[in-house]
DNA sequence: ATACTATATTGGACGAAGTCTAAGTCAAGA
DNA sequence: TCTTGACTTAGACTTCGTCCAATATAGTAT
């Protein structure tokens, strides 16, 4: 975290209060926040921080490879501070909860040459979808209902 | 295609001009359109068709499993008529072109039990990112430039 | 062929997520 | 301490998508 701030300084960043607070939020709980969730937490420490600064800083951190942008479905992007340790995600289609997972195979190896069409393939994103235990339980209680509808939490 | 209309009729759908036209557009070129691209092409055949109907129908077709919704980055969702033949996608990070690809491994098998956290895992989406030959060529011409910037086409 | 009605369509208002800009502020070096 | 270019800010704006009340119509019953 201090190392992060140092790396940023080394890259010529001005260390503003805003950037410091955003770094703190991302460091605190390493979990997948949306930009607005980051903003909400940043405001607690620095009430006048703007949405624009959060978007700017997150975008810059992504460009530097310090955090990762995760898009699941049509919802808001989430920002993943766990960027130096490559991993994939398991997402609950009921409530949106997201967990880091490690897989055993290198997915790039699963793409044969004949399926590359001359592309230079640089990375693969694997996302698993399913029901988390909570949503499964909620469904059981609801008595085999429609299977849809669920308050949308996310971590 | 006619079979699609038949399947819809069998499911109790009213066969309206709008739905017919949307089915035609999706059938014509099997490629990954956004809702607005579908609308633009539908309008050529049925000028008064509304955006709302396109969204409604696409949503219904997805629910029936007749087409698939594809989200790559933060942009508009794309609709994939190639739904009865499961596949993954290879996306050019330069221009956004998207190609269907077949992979050799079942990605779900690459997720160990210990990494499932009690979820019932139902499917995995694998997306490959890279540079298409055109973008690679354009870069070479530009003489090892920044590597960014590129008009965003998509197929 | 006509009437009926549940289902579908429409335009436009609305909303969420994100981008952009012009004016003001401030971190850091001299 | 002064200076200045990098940074921040509020709010307008864009894009993608949803929702609604009013209207039209596919399919069926008569
Ligand atoms: Mn993660
Ligand atoms: Mn496809
Ligand atoms: Zn859940
Ligand atoms: Zn390309």
């Amino acid at each position: 975290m201090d190392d992060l701030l140092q790396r940023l300084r080394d890259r010529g960043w001005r260390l503003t209060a805003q950037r410091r607070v955003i770094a703190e939020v991302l460091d605190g709980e390493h979990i997948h926040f949306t930009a607005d969730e980051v903003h909400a937490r940043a405001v607690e420490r620095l009430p006048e921080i703007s949405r624009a600064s959060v978007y700017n800083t997150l975008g810059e951190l992504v460009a530097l490879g310090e955090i990762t942008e995760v898009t699941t479905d049509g919802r808001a992007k989430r920002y993943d501070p766990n960027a130096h340790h490559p991993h994939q995600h398991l997402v609950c289609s009921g409530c949106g909860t997201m967990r880091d997972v490690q897989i055993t195979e290198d997915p790039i190896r699963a793409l044969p040459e004949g399926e590359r069409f001359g592309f230079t393939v640089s990375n693969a994103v694997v996302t698993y979808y399913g029901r988390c235990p909570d949503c499964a339980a909620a469904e059981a209680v609801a008595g085999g209902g429609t299977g849809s509808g669920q308050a949308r939490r996310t971590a």
Side-chain angles (χ1 to χ4, degrees), chain A:
Chain A
M1 207 313 255
D2 260 0
D3 11 333
L4 168 60
L5 293 181
Q6 191 51 55
R7 285 198 298 279
L8 296 181
R9 200 182 335 250
D10 291 349
R11 303 221 193 201
W13 276 37
R14 287 200 185 165
L15 269 235
T16 66
Q18 291 81 352
R19 285 170 172 178
R20 235 182 279 268
V21 163
I22 291 171
E24 278 172 39
V25 169
L26 290 174
D27 180 63
E29 341 179 26
H30 88 85
I31 235 175
H32 311 88
F33 286 143
T34 64
D36 278 331
E37 286 166 353
V38 171
H39 182 241
R41 279 158 185 82
V43 161
E44 291 169 12
R45 306 175 188 227
L46 185 66
E48 67 280 16
I49 191 173
S50 71
R51 257 170 29 98
S53 281
V54 172
Y55 276 105
N56 289 342
T57 304
L58 289 175
E60 290 157 349
L61 289 172
V62 168
L64 294 187
E66 294 286 350
I67 63 177
T68 306
E69 220 172 51
V70 187
T71 358
T72 48
D73 48 344
R75 325 205 117 246
K77 289 177 194 162
R78 297 185 168 275
Y79 293 89
D80 192 339
N82 187 8
H84 297 296
H85 197 304
H87 62 277
Q88 311 294 343
H89 293 110
L90 169 57
V91 179
C92 175
S93 28
C95 62
T97 304
M98 189 190 296
R99 307 221 39 166
D100 287 359
V101 293
Q102 291 293 335
I103 58 179
T104 56
E105 308 286 332
D106 175 7
I108 294 195
R109 231 171 286 167
L111 184 67
E113 269 309 321
E115 291 284 85
R116 299 197 181 190
F117 306 100
F119 280 56
T120 317
V121 180
S122 51
N123 78 307
V125 175
V126 184
T127 309
Y128 295 93
Y129 292 91
R131 295 255 146 196
C132 75
D134 288 1
C135 285
E139 241 164 69
V141 166
T146 63
S148 79
Q150 197 66 228
R152 187 164 286 258
R153 262 180 305 123
T154 285

PDB file of all heavy atoms in Angstrom, chain A residues 128-146:
ATOM      1  N   TYR A 128     -16.938 -17.791 -14.193  1.00  0.00           N
ATOM      2  CA  TYR A 128     -17.878 -18.863 -13.879  1.00  0.00           C
ATOM      3  C   TYR A 128     -19.140 -18.259 -13.316  1.00  0.00           C
ATOM      4  O   TYR A 128     -19.080 -17.317 -12.513  1.00  0.00           O
ATOM      5  CB  TYR A 128     -17.265 -19.812 -12.861  1.00  0.00           C
ATOM      6  CG  TYR A 128     -16.067 -20.545 -13.403  1.00  0.00           C
ATOM      7  CD1 TYR A 128     -14.784 -20.052 -13.208  1.00  0.00           C
ATOM      8  CD2 TYR A 128     -16.229 -21.716 -14.136  1.00  0.00           C
ATOM      9  CE1 TYR A 128     -13.683 -20.710 -13.734  1.00  0.00           C
ATOM     10  CE2 TYR A 128     -15.134 -22.383 -14.669  1.00  0.00           C
ATOM     11  CZ  TYR A 128     -13.867 -21.876 -14.460  1.00  0.00           C
ATOM     12  OH  TYR A 128     -12.779 -22.518 -14.980  1.00  0.00           O
ATOM     13  N   TYR A 129     -20.281 -18.793 -13.719  1.00  0.00           N
ATOM     14  CA  TYR A 129     -21.557 -18.334 -13.185  1.00  0.00           C
ATOM     15  C   TYR A 129     -22.268 -19.484 -12.499  1.00  0.00           C
ATOM     16  O   TYR A 129     -22.155 -20.636 -12.916  1.00  0.00           O
ATOM     17  CB  TYR A 129     -22.437 -17.786 -14.307  1.00  0.00           C
ATOM     18  CG  TYR A 129     -21.901 -16.498 -14.894  1.00  0.00           C
ATOM     19  CD1 TYR A 129     -21.037 -16.511 -15.978  1.00  0.00           C
ATOM     20  CD2 TYR A 129     -22.243 -15.277 -14.333  1.00  0.00           C
ATOM     21  CE1 TYR A 129     -20.526 -15.326 -16.509  1.00  0.00           C
ATOM     22  CE2 TYR A 129     -21.744 -14.090 -14.850  1.00  0.00           C
ATOM     23  CZ  TYR A 129     -20.885 -14.120 -15.935  1.00  0.00           C
ATOM     24  OH  TYR A 129     -20.384 -12.947 -16.452  1.00  0.00           O
ATOM     25  N   GLY A 130     -22.978 -19.151 -11.430  1.00  0.00           N
ATOM     26  CA  GLY A 130     -23.715 -20.171 -10.704  1.00  0.00           C
ATOM     27  C   GLY A 130     -24.543 -19.535  -9.608  1.00  0.00           C
ATOM     28  O   GLY A 130     -24.764 -18.318  -9.617  1.00  0.00           O
ATOM     29  N   ARG A 131     -25.021 -20.375  -8.675  1.00  0.00           N
ATOM     30  CA  ARG A 131     -25.796 -19.886  -7.527  1.00  0.00           C
ATOM     31  C   ARG A 131     -24.961 -20.045  -6.271  1.00  0.00           C
ATOM     32  O   ARG A 131     -24.440 -21.129  -6.018  1.00  0.00           O
ATOM     33  CB  ARG A 131     -27.053 -20.729  -7.326  1.00  0.00           C
ATOM     34  CG  ARG A 131     -28.049 -20.661  -8.432  1.00  0.00           C
ATOM     35  CD  ARG A 131     -29.237 -19.811  -8.030  1.00  0.00           C
ATOM     36  NE  ARG A 131     -29.719 -19.122  -9.213  1.00  0.00           N
ATOM     37  CZ  ARG A 131     -30.532 -18.077  -9.179  1.00  0.00           C
ATOM     38  NH1 ARG A 131     -30.972 -17.616  -8.027  1.00  0.00           N
ATOM     39  NH2 ARG A 131     -30.920 -17.492 -10.292  1.00  0.00           N
ATOM     40  N   CYS A 132     -24.920 -18.991  -5.487  1.00  0.00           N
ATOM     41  CA  CYS A 132     -24.206 -19.105  -4.219  1.00  0.00           C
ATOM     42  C   CYS A 132     -25.095 -19.830  -3.208  1.00  0.00           C
ATOM     43  O   CYS A 132     -26.301 -19.927  -3.407  1.00  0.00           O
ATOM     44  CB  CYS A 132     -23.831 -17.722  -3.711  1.00  0.00           C
ATOM     45  SG  CYS A 132     -25.196 -16.789  -3.021  1.00  0.00           S
ATOM     46  N   PRO A 133     -24.509 -20.356  -2.135  1.00  0.00           N
ATOM     47  CA  PRO A 133     -25.293 -21.102  -1.126  1.00  0.00           C
ATOM     48  C   PRO A 133     -26.479 -20.290  -0.615  1.00  0.00           C
ATOM     49  O   PRO A 133     -27.582 -20.815  -0.478  1.00  0.00           O
ATOM     50  CB  PRO A 133     -24.280 -21.357  -0.019  1.00  0.00           C
ATOM     51  CG  PRO A 133     -22.948 -21.306  -0.683  1.00  0.00           C
ATOM     52  CD  PRO A 133     -23.070 -20.333  -1.799  1.00  0.00           C
ATOM     53  N   ASP A 134     -26.275 -19.006  -0.341  1.00  0.00           N
ATOM     54  CA  ASP A 134     -27.361 -18.178   0.175  1.00  0.00           C
ATOM     55  C   ASP A 134     -28.537 -18.139  -0.789  1.00  0.00           C
ATOM     56  O   ASP A 134     -29.691 -18.327  -0.398  1.00  0.00           O
ATOM     57  CB  ASP A 134     -26.873 -16.743   0.412  1.00  0.00           C
ATOM     58  CG  ASP A 134     -25.949 -16.659   1.617  1.00  0.00           C
ATOM     59  OD1 ASP A 134     -25.688 -17.715   2.230  1.00  0.00           O
ATOM     60  OD2 ASP A 134     -25.502 -15.541   1.938  1.00  0.00           O
ATOM     61  N   CYS A 135     -28.253 -17.885  -2.050  1.00  0.00           N
ATOM     62  CA  CYS A 135     -29.326 -17.796  -3.025  1.00  0.00           C
ATOM     63  C   CYS A 135     -30.005 -19.144  -3.205  1.00  0.00           C
ATOM     64  O   CYS A 135     -31.227 -19.217  -3.372  1.00  0.00           O
ATOM     65  CB  CYS A 135     -28.803 -17.272  -4.353  1.00  0.00           C
ATOM     66  SG  CYS A 135     -28.487 -15.490  -4.306  1.00  0.00           S
ATOM     67  N   ALA A 136     -29.236 -20.216  -3.180  1.00  0.00           N
ATOM     68  CA  ALA A 136     -29.824 -21.548  -3.289  1.00  0.00           C
ATOM     69  C   ALA A 136     -30.788 -21.781  -2.128  1.00  0.00           C
ATOM     70  O   ALA A 136     -31.907 -22.254  -2.319  1.00  0.00           O
ATOM     71  CB  ALA A 136     -28.731 -22.611  -3.290  1.00  0.00           C
ATOM     72  N   ALA A 137     -30.359 -21.407  -0.911  1.00  0.00           N
ATOM     73  CA  ALA A 137     -31.211 -21.571   0.278  1.00  0.00           C
ATOM     74  C   ALA A 137     -32.474 -20.731   0.135  1.00  0.00           C
ATOM     75  O   ALA A 137     -33.591 -21.222   0.351  1.00  0.00           O
ATOM     76  CB  ALA A 137     -30.444 -21.149   1.525  1.00  0.00           C
ATOM     77  N   ALA A 138     -32.327 -19.500  -0.261  1.00  0.00           N
ATOM     78  CA  ALA A 138     -33.469 -18.594  -0.410  1.00  0.00           C
ATOM     79  C   ALA A 138     -34.485 -19.183  -1.388  1.00  0.00           C
ATOM     80  O   ALA A 138     -35.698 -19.129  -1.160  1.00  0.00           O
ATOM     81  CB  ALA A 138     -33.004 -17.234  -0.902  1.00  0.00           C
ATOM     82  N   GLU A 139     -33.973 -19.795  -2.446  1.00  0.00           N
ATOM     83  CA  GLU A 139     -34.832 -20.406  -3.441  1.00  0.00           C
ATOM     84  C   GLU A 139     -35.613 -21.566  -2.850  1.00  0.00           C
ATOM     85  O   GLU A 139     -36.808 -21.697  -3.074  1.00  0.00           O
ATOM     86  CB  GLU A 139     -33.968 -20.963  -4.567  1.00  0.00           C
ATOM     87  CG  GLU A 139     -34.249 -20.359  -5.912  1.00  0.00           C
ATOM     88  CD  GLU A 139     -33.119 -20.673  -6.852  1.00  0.00           C
ATOM     89  OE1 GLU A 139     -32.976 -21.860  -7.208  1.00  0.00           O
ATOM     90  OE2 GLU A 139     -32.357 -19.741  -7.191  1.00  0.00           O
ATOM     91  N   ALA A 140     -34.908 -22.417  -2.110  1.00  0.00           N
ATOM     92  CA  ALA A 140     -35.545 -23.572  -1.481  1.00  0.00           C
ATOM     93  C   ALA A 140     -36.699 -23.120  -0.597  1.00  0.00           C
ATOM     94  O   ALA A 140     -37.793 -23.673  -0.647  1.00  0.00           O
ATOM     95  CB  ALA A 140     -34.523 -24.349  -0.657  1.00  0.00           C
ATOM     96  N   VAL A 141     -36.474 -22.091   0.204  1.00  0.00           N
ATOM     97  CA  VAL A 141     -37.515 -21.553   1.078  1.00  0.00           C
ATOM     98  C   VAL A 141     -38.698 -21.061   0.260  1.00  0.00           C
ATOM     99  O   VAL A 141     -39.848 -21.352   0.557  1.00  0.00           O
ATOM    100  CB  VAL A 141     -36.968 -20.384   1.938  1.00  0.00           C
ATOM    101  CG1 VAL A 141     -38.116 -19.609   2.567  1.00  0.00           C
ATOM    102  CG2 VAL A 141     -36.035 -20.927   3.005  1.00  0.00           C
ATOM    103  N   ALA A 142     -38.409 -20.349  -0.828  1.00  0.00           N
ATOM    104  CA  ALA A 142     -39.463 -19.805  -1.664  1.00  0.00           C
ATOM    105  C   ALA A 142     -40.270 -20.912  -2.340  1.00  0.00           C
ATOM    106  O   ALA A 142     -41.227 -20.651  -3.053  1.00  0.00           O
ATOM    107  CB  ALA A 142     -38.875 -18.864  -2.718  1.00  0.00           C
ATOM    108  N   GLY A 143     -39.862 -22.168  -2.134  1.00  0.00           N
ATOM    109  CA  GLY A 143     -40.649 -23.306  -2.594  1.00  0.00           C
ATOM    110  C   GLY A 143     -40.664 -23.498  -4.098  1.00  0.00           C
ATOM    111  O   GLY A 143     -41.703 -23.516  -4.725  1.00  0.00           O
ATOM    112  N   GLY A 144     -39.459 -23.643  -4.684  1.00  0.00           N
ATOM    113  CA  GLY A 144     -39.372 -23.904  -6.126  1.00  0.00           C
ATOM    114  C   GLY A 144     -40.088 -22.873  -6.964  1.00  0.00           C
ATOM    115  O   GLY A 144     -40.738 -23.191  -7.945  1.00  0.00           O
ATOM    116  N   GLY A 145     -39.997 -21.629  -6.553  1.00  0.00           N
ATOM    117  CA  GLY A 145     -40.662 -20.541  -7.281  1.00  0.00           C
ATOM    118  C   GLY A 145     -40.074 -20.334  -8.659  1.00  0.00           C
ATOM    119  O   GLY A 145     -39.484 -21.251  -9.226  1.00  0.00           O
ATOM    120  N   THR A 146     -40.226 -19.126  -9.174  1.00  0.00           N
ATOM    121  CA  THR A 146     -39.794 -18.832 -10.541  1.00  0.00           C
ATOM    122  C   THR A 146     -38.288 -18.932 -10.711  1.00  0.00           C
ATOM    123  O   THR A 146     -37.816 -19.132 -11.812  1.00  0.00           O
ATOM    124  CB  THR A 146     -40.177 -17.406 -10.923  1.00  0.00           C
ATOM    125  OG1 THR A 146     -39.473 -16.492 -10.061  1.00  0.00           O
ATOM    126  CG2 THR A 146     -41.646 -17.179 -10.743  1.00  0.00           C
TER     127      THR A 146
END
